[in-house]
């Protein structure tokens, strides 16, 4: 079996090292990311890599996991020399700088986990995702079962094996990703900021996981900016300015790092303490007042118990204040901001805002909303959409950009700016409308120190101009120098039960993750005969039946069809009510076509006369025949989809692709890739749908700050609106695809290569019966078609 | 959404240790195709009834195979065009097949015109030139390709309607042709042109980003 040769053998690494980098330099053009870096990682070591943003941590993680190669130096992973700018002699005598085969081999024994968990889960349910890596390296199916069970046990998520990853919390998703890496039996696991997107609870889960992995003896590289995580490691490496500046035991390093940071830390502490007590002066007029504010996503008419995001929030914000709103992920900060701004309606309570105050909302990562080709156009589009003339809008945008230090960048594409400049340009898109209240959601998120300073300066400037600023953030250090008032989400909602509602269902209710179709086995309600069939039989059999419906031409044929529908209905065991609900949208079309037939067909004799219109018997028969045919199509579709679900339907199609691929000896090399695309597109459809919603929301948010100019109300064409929505959506897709591609590489997916299937679909006796019935039905239809007309005489 | 580091997105000479990321079948391209399929699926459920006739519905899903065709070439256009209609295959098989045919009739000619005759190095890879920074596609060529695609897709749409209508009514094809062409022609022209304009306006500014992430 190929599998035996796939694992890099420990015998080859003579020094007991899992990774050895010598003088590694990595540059994007002239921009150096890693500068002559040398490091050795012994087997079984837990190494933490810390350092500021942009110091090259992530790049180092990519090099160590065999995803990216450097420009200079040499890289030895798991005892295999994979890259050497001086040249490597391969077994066939050639000298190359990078040994692609060796890279492939070592990647099979290196796990790589990126920071956004949702983007590295490729399959659903969870257990299929864990099996994805082993399938890619052609592990035999029986061994995959062992590996999947072992990984799920090790990472403690065995109860979630059948869950849909979309229904898991961030922490659980990250554990699924770790389980996926673990299933490859790695000797080195590289984790790139695995807690970055998680709240405290999720981070604890992940840290717990890492300690478990450590106990099993695998080498771990943890890239993080959390010092207390680094404290758990055997060794800490500090990267700064693309070099290793410290390397040693965690307590030494963290102590010295802390001592150099003490002044600013204590200053931060002092100012925070001072601020909490300094309430706003009552002399200043109130800008926004919230009274017993509550928000829940469930609709007021829903019978489900309400899941409160927050409740009973009382808040008074005075003009000119800088409010800092902090709290855990999922504590409802962003939602509170949306409710305060009027973008979302509160479920209970009220928000009173000073009617003269215009509110500008800057959503998280405003740079993801760029839709114009230059910075100036993008910033001024806010005003132009409100009806301002192009020249005036450009003048104002120009002044603002100049002030923000982007004056020389305004003719550039927004994508060509640096990360910090992009953020500023995104912020400018709202500030250009000169709102009186500026609400910012995580404006410092993902920025490095310099960019954070630029954003903080912008906030200071707005404050100096007398504006009210509300900032949602969990990084308080950035606003230390400003007279802020800090409000903790937990204080606002202190009276709510500790088990907070929004994170509640995600974290604790795993049963919700089980979708009906794939888990009917675990829910031991009786599976209908239709559900027991191989999905390929169901899908392609029903398509055949549907196609043959068009052979029906006579009353006998219709009776035949009715019998078939009754049979499928019996096999599907779907209640008539569910059936009607599922096929609800189609009758309109059927009625339309029936009317058309009734009046348009002029065969036969006159049946009735309605004034000038005569309806013929031929028209009547056509109306009946064609609408019954259509109805049969709709019913079959509803029954089949209602039983197996569209994901299983897609899986059947993917499975046929994979089998064709195998049968044709991979001559149609990319059928296997098509199968993956089918599965991934179903996995990501909910995420993409929420992307659409998020961007629509952000666009609405941007519009709140501008007053539409009277008399010039601009009516934008649908096309323009669609483009403005789709550009940010596609941008988000391209970015997501980038991470997803890395995740596929890390899990050894190779386009066009053979992979095993953990659970290949199998035809059983019951499928034979189904195909026999379909065969009989076809034969019957054809017989009726041939003999029928002479009997019926129609 | 995602929390990628922005420095991952810098333009580079390839650092990939996992093969050519800009090839038509790299993991990046496969990932993006899957996401385009997902977006097209989501939009294929959006139905905007046309003002001409209620049962002729416009859905924006045709934009995505076109984008795949512009960025990556013919095969990705086929993949996105076909896969995005799988959810409709069982519920509305005839409609799904027609939508696939019409969307591909638009995307394929465009993909071919944008991806042939542009390779100067004589390589056989279908590596895409549209999403390549050094080779910005000319707007003229893009417009010509979209125009050809529009004509082909209108032809296919009308042809498909003529084939399909006898499945729904027993009125003669001639009668149908006479009655439907004045409705079908403007509707399908409108649909294709909207798809082309939207896809063109999206593909141009994003092609640089697409090229960058793939390197």
């Amino acid at each position: 079996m190929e599998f035996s040769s796939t694992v890099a053998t420990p015998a080859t690494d003579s020094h007991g090292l899992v990774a050895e980098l010598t003088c590694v330099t990595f540059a994007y053009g002239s921009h150096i990311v890693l500068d002559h870096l040398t490091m050795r990682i012994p087997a079984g070591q837990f190494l933490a890599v810390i350092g500021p943003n942009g110091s090259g941590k992530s790049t180092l993680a990519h090099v160590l996991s065999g995803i990216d190669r450097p420009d200079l130096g040499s890289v030895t992973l798991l005892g295999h020399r994979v890259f050497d700018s001086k040249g490597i002699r391969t077994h066939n005598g050639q000298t190359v700088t990078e040994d692609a085969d060796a890279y492939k081999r070592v990647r099979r024994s290196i796990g790589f986990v990126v920071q956004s968990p949702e983007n590295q889960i490729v399959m659903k349910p969870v257990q299929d995702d864990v099996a994805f890596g082993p399938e890619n390296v052609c592990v035999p199916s029986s061994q995959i079962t062992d590996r999947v069970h072992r990984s799920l046990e090790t990472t403690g998520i065995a109860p979630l094996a059948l869950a849909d990853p979309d229904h898991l919390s961030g922490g659980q998703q990250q554990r699924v990703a770790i389980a996926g890496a673990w299933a490859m039996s790695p000797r080195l696991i590289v984790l790139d900021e695995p807690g970055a997107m998680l709240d405290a609870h999720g981070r604890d889960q992940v840290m717990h996981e890492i300690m478990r992995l450590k106990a099993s003896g695998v080498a771990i590289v943890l890239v993080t900016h959390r010092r207390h995580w680094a404290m758990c490691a055997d060794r800490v490496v500090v990267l700064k300015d693309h070099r290793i500046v410290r390397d040693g035991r965690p307590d030494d390093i963290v102590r010295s790092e802390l001592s150099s940071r003490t002044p600013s830390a204590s200053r931060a502490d002092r100012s925070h303490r001072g601020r909490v007590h300094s309430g706003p002066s009552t002399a200043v007029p109130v800008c926004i007042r919230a009274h017993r504010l509550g928000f829940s996503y469930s609709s007021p008419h829903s019978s489900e118990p309400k899941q409160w995001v927050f409740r009973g929030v009382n808040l008074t914000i005075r003009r000119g204040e800088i409010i800092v709103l902090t709290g855990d992920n999922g504590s409802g900060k962003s939602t509170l901001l949306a409710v305060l701004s009027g973008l979302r309606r509160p479920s209970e309570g009220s928000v009173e805002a000073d009617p003269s105050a215009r509110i500008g909302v800057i959503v998280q990562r405003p740079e993801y909303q760029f839709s114009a080709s230059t910075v100036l156009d993008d910033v001024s589009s806010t005003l132009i959409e409100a009806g301002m003339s192009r020249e005036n809008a450009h003048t104002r945008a120009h002044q603002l950009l100049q002030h923000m230090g982007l004056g020389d960048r305004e003719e550039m594409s927004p994508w060509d700016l640096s990360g910090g400049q992009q953020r500023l340009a995104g912020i400018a898109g709202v500030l250009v409308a000169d709102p009186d209240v500026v609400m910012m959601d995580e404006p410092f998120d993902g920025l490095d120190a310099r960019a954070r300073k630029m954003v903080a300066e912008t906030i200071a400037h707005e404050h100096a101009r007398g504006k009210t600023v509300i900032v949602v953030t969990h990084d308080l250090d950035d606003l230390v120098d400003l007279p802020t008032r800090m409000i903790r989400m937990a204080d606002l909602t202190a009276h709510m039960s500790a088990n907070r509602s929004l994170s509640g269902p995600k974290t604790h209710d795993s049963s919700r993750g089980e979708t009906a179709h794939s888990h009917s086995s675990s829910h031991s309600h009786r599976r209908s005969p239709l559900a027991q069939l191989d999905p390929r039989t169901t899908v392609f059999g029903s398509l055949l039946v549907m196609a043959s419906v068009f052979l029906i031409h006579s009353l006998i044929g219709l009776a035949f069809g009715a019998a078939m529908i009754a049979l499928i209905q019996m096999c599907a065991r779907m209640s008539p009510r569910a059936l009607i609900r599922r096929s609800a949208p189609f009758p309109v079309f059927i009625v339309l076509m029936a009317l058309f037939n009734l009046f348009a067909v002029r065969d036969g004799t006159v049946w009735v006369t309605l004034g000038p219109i005569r309806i013929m018997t031929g028209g009547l028969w056509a109306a009946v025949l064609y609408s019954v045919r259509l109805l049969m199509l709709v019913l079959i579709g509803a029954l089949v989809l209602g039983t197996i679900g569209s994901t299983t339907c897609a899986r059947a199609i993917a499975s046929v692709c994979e089998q064709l691929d195998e049968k044709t000896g991979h001559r149609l090399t990319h059928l296997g890739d098509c199968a993956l695309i089918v599965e991934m597109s179903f996995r990501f459809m909910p995420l993409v749908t929420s992307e659409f919603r998020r961007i629509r929301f952000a666009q609405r948010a941007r519009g709140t700050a501008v007053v539409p100019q009277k008399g010039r109300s601009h009516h934008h064409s649908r096309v323009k609106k669609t483009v403005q929505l789709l550009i940010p959506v596609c941008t988000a897709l391209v970015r997501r695809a980038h991470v997803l591609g890395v995740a596929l590489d890390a899990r050894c997916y190779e386009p066009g290569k053979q992979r095993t299937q953990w659970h290949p679909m199998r035809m059983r006796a019951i499928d034979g019966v189904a195909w026999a019935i379909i065969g009989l039905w076809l034969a019957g239809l054809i017989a009726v078609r041939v003999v029928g007309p002479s009997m019926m005489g129609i | 959404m995602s929390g990628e580091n922005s420095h991952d997105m810098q333009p580079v000479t390839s650092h990939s240790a996992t093969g050519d990321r800009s090839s038509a079948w790299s993991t990046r391209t496969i990932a993006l195709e899957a996401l385009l399929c997902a977006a097209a699926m989501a939009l294929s459920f959006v139905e905007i009834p046309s003002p001409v006739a209620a049962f002729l519905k416009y859905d924006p899903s045709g934009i995505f195979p076109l984008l795949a065709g512009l960025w990556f070439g013919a095969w990705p256009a086929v993949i996105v065009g076909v896969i995005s209609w799988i959810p409709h295959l069982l519920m509305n098989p005839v409609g799904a097949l027609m939508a696939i045919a019409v969307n591909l009739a638009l995307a394929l000619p465009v993909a071919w015109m944008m991806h042939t005759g542009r390779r100067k190095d004589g390589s056989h890879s279908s590596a895409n030139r549209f999403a390549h920074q050094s080779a910005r596609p000319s707007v003229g060529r893009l417009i010509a390709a979209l125009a050809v695609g529009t004509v082909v897709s209108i032809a296919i749409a009308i042809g498909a309607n003529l084939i399909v209508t006898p499945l729904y009514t027993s009125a003669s094809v001639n009668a149908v042709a006479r009655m439907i062409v004045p409705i079908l022609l403007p509707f399908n022209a409108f649909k294709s042109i909207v798809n082309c304009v939207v896809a063109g306006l999206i593909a141009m500014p994003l092609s640089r980003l697409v090229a960058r992430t793939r390197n």
Side-chain angles (χ1 to χ4, degrees):
Chain A
M1 200 61 223
E2 200 193 347
F3 169 55
S4 53
S5 65
T6 61
V7 181
T9 44
T12 49
D13 65 271
S14 45
H15 311 291
L17 297 177
V18 287
E20 185 177 8
L21 309 184
T22 314
C23 277
V24 161
T25 297
F26 192 111
Y28 292 111
S30 59
H31 175 62
I32 289 186
V33 186
L34 295 176
D35 189 6
H36 290 88
L37 200 100
T38 297
M39 71 190 299
R40 291 187 167 73
I41 305 172
Q45 188 174 60
F46 177 10
L47 168 73
V49 178
I50 60 177
N53 272 10
S55 57
K57 296 190 305 266
S58 281
T59 308
L60 178 60
H62 279 95
V63 171
L64 284 174
S65 55
I67 301 284
D68 279 345
R69 58 159 187 81
D71 295 289
L72 293 173
S74 75
V75 181
T76 304
L77 296 172
L78 306 178
H80 293 257
R81 176 66 55 95
V82 288
F83 178 84
D84 194 335
S85 50
K86 294 199 191 79
I88 310 168
R89 274 190 93 77
T90 56
H91 53 270
N92 49 17
Q94 285 174 314
T95 306
V96 291
T97 52
E98 91 182 85
D99 188 341
D101 288 335
Y103 255 126
K104 246 178 235 172
R105 245 172 296 139
V106 299
R107 265 202 305 276
R108 292 176 176 204
S109 302
I110 301 178
F112 183 51
V113 176
V114 300
Q115 55 178 275
S116 54
E118 63 186 26
N119 284 337
Q120 53 196 323
I121 301 175
V122 183
M123 298 282 166
K124 66 182 180 186
V126 165
Q127 61 176 11
D128 286 21
D129 186 70
V130 176
F132 179 69
E135 284 180 333
N136 291 338
V137 295
C138 295
V139 176
S141 137
S142 58
Q143 291 183 27
I144 296 180
T145 310
D146 293 343
R147 286 192 182 206
V148 169
H149 287 187
R150 214 184 48 220
S151 315
L152 290 172
E153 291 295 335
T154 309
T155 46
I157 49 169
L160 303 177
L162 297 174
D164 181 337
D166 275 336
H167 295 134
L168 303 181
S169 71
Q172 288 170 327
Q173 286 183 342
Q174 197 58 283
R175 285 158 81 187
V176 172
I178 294 174
W182 192 242
M184 303 289 278
S185 308
R187 293 173 50 212
L188 167 65
I189 289 193
V190 181
L191 302 113
D192 185 6
E193 304 263 13
M197 319 283 283
L198 306 179
D199 60 9
H201 179 67
R203 287 199 300 268
D204 288 347
Q205 285 186 341
V206 170
M207 194 61 220
H208 183 70
E209 221 48 70
I210 295 173
M211 295 316 287
R212 263 209 249 200
L213 296 186
K214 184 192 164 188
S216 74
V218 66
I220 299 171
V221 174
L222 173 66
V223 171
T224 182
H225 59 259
R226 298 191 180 274
R227 261 147 233 286
H228 66 275
W229 282 25
M231 287 298 286
C232 307
D234 302 325
R235 170 182 163 204
V236 177
V237 163
V238 183
L239 277 188
K240 201 177 170 192
D241 297 332
H242 325 298
R243 293 166 176 272
I244 295 178
V245 291
R246 308 189 80 91
D247 184 349
R249 293 191 26 196
D251 23 353
D252 300 341
I253 293 204
V254 174
R255 196 180 307 135
S256 63
E257 286 274 308
L258 278 180
S259 64
S260 67
R261 278 172 52 93
T262 311
S264 85
S266 67
R267 190 183 57 164
D269 279 351
R270 216 180 314 123
S271 55
H272 287 170
R273 232 176 293 130
R275 254 183 270 135
V276 176
H277 298 294
S278 68
S281 153
T282 46
V284 183
V286 172
C287 181
I288 295 176
R289 176 177 281 146
H291 180 64
R292 299 185 62 79
L293 209 56
F295 185 86
S296 90
Y297 279 103
S298 51
S299 78
H301 311 294
S302 154
S303 56
E304 288 172 41
K306 283 201 171 179
Q307 305 265 323
W308 292 100
V309 180
F310 54 79
R311 208 179 177 184
V313 169
N314 291 313
L315 188 61
T316 305
I317 297 167
R318 292 176 188 278
R319 203 179 287 167
E321 273 193 294
I322 303 180
I323 303 283
V324 177
L325 194 58
T326 67
D328 277 349
N329 276 16
S331 61
K333 301 182 300 268
S334 302
T335 316
L336 178 58
L337 207 64
V339 173
L340 288 178
S341 67
L343 279 167
R344 284 191 189 282
R345 197 173 290 180
S347 310
E348 63 174 35
S350 64
V351 181
E352 295 162 36
D354 174 3
S356 66
R358 283 176 301 118
I359 299 175
V361 184
I362 298 162
V363 295
Q364 256 180 62
R365 306 233 169 193
E367 65 272 23
Y368 287 180
Q369 313 298 330
F370 292 142
S371 64
S373 51
T374 69
V375 175
L376 188 67
D377 280 340
D378 201 273
V379 173
S380 54
S381 68
T382 315
L383 297 173
I384 295 173
E385 264 159 52
M388 187 184 271
S389 73
R390 211 181 153 73
E391 300 75 56
N392 289 350
H394 273 197
T395 316
R396 264 175 73 177
H398 174 73
Q399 282 168 353
L400 178 68
L401 287 169
Q402 204 100 76
H403 178 81
M404 291 174 89
L406 294 173
D408 53 336
R409 302 291 154 104
E410 60 186 34
E411 291 304 327
M412 284 169 71
S413 159
W415 303 118
D416 292 336
L417 302 180
S418 74
Q421 289 168 337
Q422 287 191 5
R423 179 68 49 85
L424 283 185
I427 291 173
V430 173
L431 292 187
V432 72
D434 199 25
D436 304 297
V437 182
V438 183
M439 298 189 177
M440 297 179 157
D441 196 353
E442 301 283 5
F444 303 107
D445 190 31
L447 296 184
D448 62 15
R450 239 182 67 205
R452 285 159 178 267
K453 209 169 153 238
M454 297 198 292
V455 174
E457 276 165 11
T458 307
I459 294 174
H461 180 72
E462 289 300 306
H463 173 68
R465 293 173 63 211
K467 309 285 183 185
T468 314
V469 184
I470 307 176
V471 184
V472 165
T473 182
H474 47 250
D475 280 304
L476 304 169
D477 286 351
D478 297 298
L479 295 168
V480 154
D481 299 327
L482 293 171
T484 55
R485 175 155 71 105
M486 189 171 75
I487 297 173
R488 274 182 238 270
M489 209 56 208
D491 295 337
L492 288 176
T493 55
H495 51 280
M496 279 174 67
S497 65
N499 188 356
R500 214 174 279 111
S501 50
L502 186 67
S503 51
K506 279 191 148 186
T507 329
H508 305 296
D509 184 5
S510 59
S511 65
R512 259 180 48 147
E514 303 188 3
T515 45
H517 61 90
S518 48
H519 313 299
S520 31
S521 55
S522 66
H523 278 268
S524 55
H525 71 75
R526 284 178 310 140
R527 293 177 74 194
S528 65
L530 196 61
Q532 286 174 36
L533 289 178
D534 183 307
R536 290 169 301 175
T537 307
T538 321
V539 171
F540 292 96
S542 59
L543 282 176
L544 193 59
V545 172
M546 283 166 126
S548 59
V549 159
F550 292 109
L551 287 174
I552 295 177
H553 238 265
S554 59
L555 274 178
I556 299 180
L558 286 180
F560 231 75
M564 188 65 176
I565 297 279
L567 182 66
I568 299 177
Q569 151 76 13
M570 269 163 58
C571 292
R573 293 203 194 128
M574 188 187 283
S575 75
R577 258 181 80 184
L579 184 57
I580 290 168
R581 206 178 50 234
R582 289 199 146 263
S583 44
F586 287 90
V588 181
F589 181 69
I590 296 178
V591 170
L592 269 176
M593 291 321 289
L595 287 176
F596 180 78
N597 276 315
L598 201 58
F599 293 109
V601 178
R602 316 253 36 105
D603 301 342
T605 53
V606 177
W607 179 51
V608 281
T609 312
L610 297 168
I613 306 163
R614 283 181 304 174
I615 297 177
M616 320 294 283
T617 47
L620 182 65
W621 168 240
V624 171
L625 176 69
Y626 286 88
S627 21
V628 173
R629 277 184 185 177
L630 282 177
L631 190 63
M632 284 173 66
L633 286 189
V634 169
L635 290 178
I636 296 172
L639 285 167
V640 171
L641 270 184
T643 310
I644 65 169
S646 58
T647 310
T648 312
C649 163
R651 184 157 289 178
I653 292 169
S655 167
V656 168
C657 282
E658 274 188 44
Q659 273 154 355
L660 271 179
D661 189 29
E662 213 163 297
K663 291 256 163 64
T664 54
H666 308 287
R667 254 165 301 166
L668 303 163
T669 29
H670 293 293
L671 270 175
D673 298 329
C674 295
L676 176 72
I677 293 174
V678 171
E679 299 233 21
M680 286 207 304
S681 56
F682 273 80
R683 150 86 182 97
F684 283 99
M685 195 167 83
L687 285 173
V688 171
T689 311
S690 61
E691 203 99 78
F692 274 105
R693 287 208 196 96
R694 190 178 60 75
I695 287 166
R696 284 260 297 268
F697 178 80
Q699 290 184 339
R700 254 177 357 113
R702 193 166 162 173
T704 53
V706 285
V707 181
Q709 310 241 320
K710 284 188 191 98
R712 297 199 44 154
S713 78
H714 241 61
H715 233 21
H716 280 286
S717 67
R718 268 224 162 115
V719 170
K720 194 171 173 197
K721 277 200 174 136
T722 314
V723 171
Q724 274 176 348
L725 173 66
L726 286 182
I727 286 183
V729 167
C730 289
T731 309
L733 296 185
V734 172
R735 284 166 188 274
R736 200 189 274 277
H738 177 75
V739 186
L740 199 52
V742 171
L744 289 178
D745 287 338
R747 301 178 73 185
C748 302
Y749 184 80
E750 284 180 54
K753 290 283 152 60
Q754 193 194 345
R755 46 199 302 275
T756 44
Q757 279 179 284
W758 181 26
H759 289 312
M761 292 184 178
R762 277 204 175 78
M763 297 274 187
R764 292 177 302 147
I766 189 170
D767 295 289
V769 174
W771 283 111
I773 293 174
I774 294 169
L776 277 176
W777 139 274
L778 276 177
L781 272 189
I782 292 167
V784 171
R785 183 77 204 240
V786 174
V787 189
S790 56
M791 286 165 61
M792 293 293 301
I794 291 175
Chain B
M1 54 148 274
S2 45
E4 313 86 296
N5 293 330
S6 50
H7 62 80
D8 283 347
M9 316 280 289
Q10 299 292 324
V12 287
T13 55
S14 177
H15 281 112
S16 170
T18 55
D20 181 7
R21 280 173 196 165
S22 65
S23 88
W25 292 102
S26 72
T27 47
R28 306 293 145 108
T29 317
I30 287 176
L32 188 53
E33 283 167 24
L35 292 177
L36 288 174
C37 285
M41 276 181 199
L43 285 188
S44 70
F45 289 98
V46 175
E47 289 180 330
I48 304 164
S50 84
V52 196
F55 60 90
L56 293 174
K57 293 198 180 89
Y58 170 70
D59 71 80
S61 67
I63 294 164
F64 292 91
L66 195 48
L67 284 178
L70 283 170
W71 284 332
F72 308 125
W75 274 116
V78 172
I79 287 171
V80 176
V82 172
I83 291 177
S84 56
W85 279 87
I86 286 181
H88 298 266
L89 195 59
L90 282 179
M91 210 55 228
N92 181 7
V94 178
L97 289 178
M98 272 176 72
I100 292 172
V102 173
N103 286 345
L104 290 189
L106 178 57
L108 279 180
V110 176
W112 276 318
M113 284 186 68
M114 297 306 291
H115 290 270
T116 49
R118 312 186 99 240
R119 257 167 261 134
K120 294 187 184 100
D121 52 0
S123 71
H124 289 290
S125 86
S126 57
N128 134 48
R129 288 273 157 184
F130 188 88
H132 197 282
Q133 288 177 19
S134 59
R136 289 209 72 163
S138 74
V139 178
R141 194 184 182 99
L142 177 65
I143 290 173
L146 291 175
V148 171
T150 306
V151 171
V152 175
S153 82
I154 293 173
I156 295 285
I158 292 174
N161 270 288
L162 288 179
I163 295 170
V164 162
T165 316
L167 298 178
Y168 291 136
T169 151
S170 76
S172 75
V173 174
N174 274 338
V176 174
R178 234 177 296 122
M179 289 171 63
I180 292 185
V181 166
I183 303 170
L184 275 184
L185 188 64
F187 172 69
N188 283 293
F190 160 80
K191 202 163 102 171
S192 307
I193 290 169
V194 168
N195 282 347
C196 283
V197 170
V198 172
L201 289 176
I202 295 170
M204 289 296 268
L206 278 178
S207 61
R208 285 164 63 79
L209 187 72
V210 171
R212 237 193 268 181
T213 34
R214 297 169 92 222
N215 279 322

